[in-house]
Amino acid sequence: MAPPRRPGARPPEQPGQQGQPVQGHPQPGQQPTPGEQRQGSGQRTPERLRQRSPHGAHAAPGPVRESLEPGQPPWATEPESSFSTWARRFFRGLVVAVLLLAAISGIRSWVSPNRTPDTVVGSQNSYPVEEARAIATRYAISYLSWDEQNPEARPAQVGLDLAAGLDSRAGWNGRGKQVAVTAYPGEVKVDPGGVVAKVDVRVRVQQYYLKGRAMTAGQFVWQRLSVPVARTAARVVASGPPTFVPDGRAALPENMPEAGVPDDALTAATNKDAEAFFSAYAESDNKVSAVTAPGSTIRSLNGAVKFGELKDWQVYTGNDDERRATAAVTWDGVGDTTLDQTYTLTLRRTVATDGAQRWQVAAVG
């Protein structure tokens, strides 16, 4: 029994097929070679190994590779462009820089971790402070004004700024009379959440007293309120009734700037010039411009008061061209009324054409 044939195996070619010469049998006119002589003695000619082409049996043969010299590597090198070299070095340096930055940031976060601020600065900066002052001022006037003869007027005014749904009576029992004349807003303290705030408002009110059956106007008093407000999507509203706050006196801070070292000689030399200045300062712009330093513009009080006397005058040490001075002035008002005020002035040295020197007022305040 013959052994099974492997699939796809080609049978050996028979001599004389397809016009091929028979090995071992020389053609006419051809001399046998020594190898052929040996093959003709009964030995079988070895078959040549054939490599199948990926393009088929009848594909054209590929180019013949050149033989390698001794010591020559079996590959070829191609020159690399300068741009490729630069790009490779750039990206390599970029990766190293990123790794170093990440390492430094990580170490810094270990040493000094981020801390959450006590107050939300961003929400405070974005809070509508001016609108909050305007709403709180109008609400304070409405809140401190009432009249039992017209009880519906106050809720209508309070309702202009109070949040919807809150009681517009705002704690008033409907009795008495009071009129808020003027209000001045102050500090706005914004909550860290950035929604609510409290506005400090000072209000001047006139109180009325029942005398017999009629209300009689009394004195004017100042009252201080802390008005709560809230920011909504549409506008700022009063979020509830305000509270009274004491308005006491406070001492000067310890770090007040010092006036300086007195210059007694220059103080005595300029005393008469200071009196002439304040006399002109009380009357008109034309008169005050004649006694001020060249190039300075100082507006006068235009007759609102009259100059009474210069109670105190002091010039302080400084450079040779400009000095600081203070003056205590008494102004005469209507009738027998007098009022003392203190001014801070800047003196400037001027030189006349004849070489004479004078110190004149360059600025007030």
Side-chain angles (χ1 to χ4, degrees), residues 57-278:
H58 303 286
V64 180
R65 296 183 179 179
E66 297 180 357
S67 59
L68 300 176
E69 298 293 337
Q72 180 180 358
W75 62 80
T77 59
E78 295 183 0
E80 187 177 12
S81 64
S82 60
F83 175 79
S84 301
T85 304
W86 176 87
R88 186 178 67 254
R89 292 177 179 177
F90 172 77
F91 284 109
R92 184 182 301 170
L94 182 62
V95 171
V96 173
V98 171
L99 293 177
L100 290 176
L101 181 62
I104 294 173
S105 301
I107 295 174
R108 184 168 54 185
S109 64
W110 299 339
V111 177
S112 178
N114 294 331
R115 298 178 179 179
T116 304
D118 297 334
T119 58
V120 182
V121 178
S123 62
Q124 292 184 0
N125 293 340
S126 63
Y127 201 85
V129 175
E130 295 302 324
E131 183 182 3
R133 285 196 178 103
I135 295 300
T137 301
R138 185 170 70 173
Y139 179 68
I141 292 178
S142 302
Y143 179 83
L144 292 179
S145 299
W146 55 75
D147 187 359
E148 64 180 18
Q149 300 297 326
N150 188 11
E152 300 301 326
R154 182 176 183 273
Q157 296 298 314
V158 168
L160 294 176
D161 301 305
L162 190 63
L166 300 181
D167 187 6
S168 59
R169 292 179 301 176
W172 179 49
N173 65 351
R175 304 294 299 273
K177 183 179 180 179
Q178 180 174 278
V179 178
V181 179
T182 309
Y184 297 97
E187 182 183 8
V188 179
K189 293 183 179 179
V190 182
D191 186 78
V195 177
V196 298
K198 290 186 177 181
V199 184
D200 186 24
V201 184
R202 291 169 173 83
V203 187
R204 187 170 184 258
V205 300
Q206 185 176 25
Q207 300 172 336
Y208 286 78
Y209 301 93
L210 183 60
K211 188 176 182 179
R213 295 184 178 182
M215 287 289 182
T216 303
Q219 61 181 352
F220 288 93
V221 296
W222 284 98
Q223 295 179 347
R224 184 178 179 183
L225 298 176
S226 178
V227 181
V229 296
R231 175 175 61 178
T232 68
R235 50 164 290 195
V236 175
V237 296
S239 58
T243 57
F244 286 109
V245 178
D247 200 2
R249 301 183 64 181
L252 291 174
E254 296 180 357
N255 58 346
M256 283 287 292
E258 297 181 358
V261 179
D263 188 337
D264 296 333
L266 188 57
T267 298
T270 56
N271 190 80
K272 294 296 182 181
D273 294 331
E275 291 181 349
F277 169 78
F278 281 104

Side-chain angles (χ1 to χ4, degrees), residues 9-49:
R10 295 181 61 184
E13 297 180 354
Q14 299 297 327
Q17 291 182 357
Q18 296 181 359
Q20 297 180 358
V22 179
Q23 296 181 0
H25 299 276
Q27 297 296 326
Q30 180 180 1
Q31 296 297 327
T33 61
E36 292 175 347
Q37 294 177 1
R38 290 194 301 268
Q39 291 177 4
S41 62
Q43 295 180 359
R44 184 180 178 183
T45 304
E47 299 180 358
R48 298 179 62 183
L49 297 178

